[in-house]
Amino acid sequence: MLETELRGRPTPTHLPEIVWRAGIDLNPLDVADPASLEWLETLVWPEHDERRRNLHAAASVVAAERPLLVAGDLNDLFEEVAAQAPADAMLVVFHSAVLVYLSPDARESFFGKVRTSGAVWISNEGKSVLSDVPSQLPAGTDNGTVLAVEGTPVAVVGPHGQFFNALAAS
């Protein structure tokens, strides 16, 4: 179980029902493959035992409930993958620390595709990755990444889930 320090918002009383999962990555890793899991483990700093435990817990969930993983560029494949979501489900697009690796033009292309899809868009990116975010943040916000819904910041969060600091307007 992931633990986080929740600031400025009550603890949720229930979790949403998730009926479908998919991901797009240039090089998706299969965490059910011991070599891939071992590689991911090498990316966790040696003294971060809790993050390593979280990785293994998450890997066991993914191995038991395998998502659709598609190899390729998210701008090339987004519409095709999104079209596979169940018609009666609310499509939610979530990404974390992804857009920093795209050019500004590729980011704008992705934003347009997500908005056109009608999906709920939740991002967790560095403060300067979404061009409209910095101007919406109060001065002196905590260090961390910005959790935004539809491009509007709702919280500053620890980069590995250590804390969730709700912003006043959220």
Side-chain angles (χ1 to χ4, degrees):
M1 170 164 45
L2 293 174
E3 292 187 24
T4 189
E5 180 184 341
L6 193 58
R7 305 174 194 153
R9 176 163 290 174
T11 302
T13 57
H14 67 282
L15 296 174
E17 179 184 4
I18 298 172
V19 298
W20 183 77
R21 291 177 176 91
I24 303 168
D25 196 296
L26 291 173
N27 182 32
L29 298 176
D30 180 0
V31 295
D33 170 40
S36 292
L37 184 56
E38 199 172 282
W39 165 246
L40 288 172
E41 194 171 284
T42 67
L43 302 175
V44 177
W45 296 343
E47 68 275 13
H48 287 201
D49 294 328
E50 184 174 344
R51 286 183 54 215
R52 196 171 355 282
R53 284 190 297 274
N54 289 342
L55 171 64
H56 283 275
S60 68
V61 170
V62 171
E65 297 182 37
R66 301 182 63 81
L68 169 65
L69 294 177
V70 180
D73 182 275
L74 65 89
N75 273 315
D76 294 339
L77 297 171
F78 176 78
E79 288 109 340
E80 177 185 328
V81 173
Q84 296 178 54
D88 60 344
M90 176 186 295
L91 181 61
V92 176
V93 174
F94 171 77
H95 54 86
S96 182
V98 170
L99 299 183
V100 70
Y101 299 104
L102 301 181
S103 70
D105 287 344
R107 289 178 200 165
E108 289 301 321
S109 176
F110 177 70
F111 302 158
K113 291 172 191 288
V114 173
R115 287 185 174 116
T116 301
S117 75
V120 174
W121 174 34
I122 303 172
S123 62
N124 183 36
E125 299 285 350
K127 293 176 186 178
S128 62
V129 173
L130 298 169
S131 58
D132 294 341
V133 164
S135 65
Q136 298 179 64
L137 293 172
T141 55
D142 292 327
N143 290 331
T145 57
V146 177
L147 184 68
V149 177
E150 308 296 343
T152 300
V154 297
V156 175
V157 300
H160 301 291
Q162 308 92 316
F163 63 87
F164 175 101
N165 188 14
L167 297 172
S170 60

